[in-house]
Amino acid sequence: MTDRVKSRLARFRAKAKKALICILVAAGITALLALGLYQGITRGRAFIYTDHLDDTAVTIDGEKLTFRDVAFYVVYEENQVQKAALIYNQEKPWDYWNSHVNGIFIISEARKVSMEMAIHDRILLRMAQEKGVALSTDEKDGLEERITDFYEDLYDDQKDNLPVSYDVLSRTMSDIAVSEKYQRILAEDHDDTFASYGYDGRAYLKLKEKHKIKISDSWNRIRMGRITLRNQPDYSASKHTEYYRKTDK
């Protein structure tokens, strides 16, 4: 093989190598763009809560809680925040949901609080069960009254748009009653307050550090204020007929 042939072959190999690198880089960029586009479309797509009831919302010490399992906390938190929203702006409560306090949007805070309550109650429930803690007959009677009060306090559109059945919500409230009972026991045993063992209490947060918790990325896609409520810029949700304008679903 002559030096000229060798030189041409070397140049050919160099060009081929450069072309291969360009192809690989282009393929990588295309893949990244496709992934970004897919993620953008996924984030932009409306998250329908009832389509994800069997999906995992959070995992606590290996135990998976689905969106169905934590639905009560969504219903409860939307009800509580909506009360403040109607005081803020009776005609356009969504203005309150879409506002922020100290740089934190109300929607984001409501989503965080509902999940933190769910985690808190499940941790304490499992601890209570390990200790054999259960409700007394009187406590069960009191629970029935609380369940009735809860349903009566829901807004009309919440009742029409519950993501789960009444039975599911009632079972969750029963579990919460057990966790609250154990919360009182913890407070008494440690000469502390009931609030200190609440979902944002000092003693509980220290206890929580001992548990492994992973919240699903999908949780950040739920749109608090529009799951059980039909909050729109021109819509006002209320238990009172005179403020209730029903719209087509």
Side-chain angles (χ1 to χ4, degrees), residues 38 56 70 74 181 207 232 249:
Y38 171 77
T56 300
V70 301
V74 172
K181 181 173 182 176
L207 182 156
Q232 300 295 339
K249 291 184 181 181

XYZ file of all heavy atoms in Angstrom, residues 38 56 70 74 181 207 232 249:
68
model
N -42.215 15.495 25.570
C -43.138 14.566 26.237
C -43.453 15.035 27.650
O -44.615 15.033 28.069
C -42.518 13.171 26.289
C -43.302 12.196 27.149
C -44.478 11.613 26.677
C -42.864 11.880 28.437
C -45.202 10.737 27.466
C -43.583 11.002 29.227
C -44.748 10.434 28.736
O -45.460 9.569 29.536
N -50.071 5.102 42.915
C -49.439 5.397 44.202
C -49.224 6.900 44.366
O -48.637 7.550 43.498
C -48.083 4.677 44.318
O -48.288 3.264 44.223
C -47.420 5.004 45.650
N -55.769 8.601 49.930
C -55.558 9.955 50.482
C -56.634 10.943 50.024
O -56.522 12.146 50.280
C -54.157 10.497 50.105
C -53.065 9.578 50.643
C -54.014 10.663 48.600
N -57.791 15.471 50.482
C -58.024 16.424 49.396
C -59.383 17.088 49.570
O -59.513 18.310 49.485
C -57.948 15.714 48.025
C -58.384 16.665 46.906
C -56.536 15.203 47.764
N -56.339 9.375 68.598
C -56.325 8.805 69.955
C -54.888 8.497 70.372
O -54.473 8.790 71.503
C -57.179 7.542 70.017
C -57.221 6.904 71.404
C -58.206 5.747 71.468
C -58.275 5.166 72.879
N -59.302 4.091 72.995
N -40.128 12.667 65.148
C -40.515 11.259 65.004
C -40.551 10.852 63.526
O -40.137 9.745 63.159
C -41.884 11.049 65.659
C -42.512 9.662 65.701
C -43.491 9.592 66.864
C -43.244 9.316 64.407
N -64.101 28.558 39.098
C -63.746 29.223 37.851
C -63.740 30.724 38.130
O -64.300 31.182 39.124
C -64.768 28.895 36.754
C -64.889 27.413 36.437
C -63.619 26.825 35.849
O -62.790 27.568 35.319
N -63.455 25.518 35.955
N -71.416 19.906 33.308
C -70.135 19.224 33.505
C -69.489 18.962 32.154
O -70.145 18.788 31.176
C -70.365 17.894 34.237
C -70.815 18.077 35.690
C -70.930 16.745 36.371
C -71.398 16.888 37.816
N -71.501 15.615 38.491
